[in-house]
Amino acid sequence: QVQLVESGGGLVQAGGSLRLSCAASGRTFSSYAMGWFRQAPGKEREFVARISSTGGSTSYAASVKGRFTISRDNAKNTVYLQMNNLRPEDTAVYYCAGASAVVLIKADYWGQGTQVTVSS
């Protein structure tokens, strides 16, 4: 069983930056593909970014490409989401997800989420 705990959310003005962290339990973090998803009020959860188990491959939703960067530190069992040039439409609960795979296709594990609010 893998537990994921997100942190780093908060309130920021448009144009600002935040860095989300997701700490994972377990000794096999380096074998897990990881990703970030988000859910805005009244909307379905949507994909934001993902990173392969080795960190060698990343992909992003079109809406965040060029502004967000996903990375991981396997020595610290942590995945990050650096969010720059934030917009009010980025406001959502952000969830960390993981799967025992090289590439995240379907998540096996989810965190509880961290709120990100971007004011205009």
Side-chain angles (χ1 to χ4, degrees):
Q1 187 74 12
V2 174
Q3 291 186 326
L4 304 176
V5 179
E6 302 97 335
S7 62
L11 173 64
V12 64
Q13 289 187 333
S17 299
L18 282 174
R19 188 176 81 155
L20 305 183
S21 299
C22 173
S25 64
R27 295 176 292 178
T28 58
F29 178 74
S30 61
S31 67
Y32 281 79
M34 301 296 295
W36 289 93
F37 293 74
R38 67 187 182 186
Q39 187 168 18
K43 296 187 177 181
E44 294 188 352
R45 189 176 299 187
E46 64 175 4
F47 164 76
V48 175
R50 65 181 182 186
I51 187 167
S52 63
S53 57
T54 63
S57 175
T58 59
S59 62
Y60 299 88
S63 59
V64 307
K65 197 169 186 178
R67 301 187 297 122
F68 291 11
T69 303
I70 188 171
S71 62
R72 66 189 297 159
D73 185 337
N74 285 346
K76 295 183 178 180
N77 281 18
T78 302
V79 62
Y80 305 96
L81 185 68
Q82 177 66 44
M83 306 185 294
N84 297 329
N85 192 20
L86 283 160
R87 304 167 180 169
E89 53 264 39
D90 295 318
T91 295
V93 177
Y94 283 71
Y95 297 91
C96 176
S100 181
V102 174
V103 176
L104 182 65
I105 302 298
K106 181 179 180 299
D108 296 321
Y109 305 102
W110 292 91
Q112 292 299 307
T114 185
Q115 176 70 47
V116 171
T117 303
V118 184
S119 63
S120 57

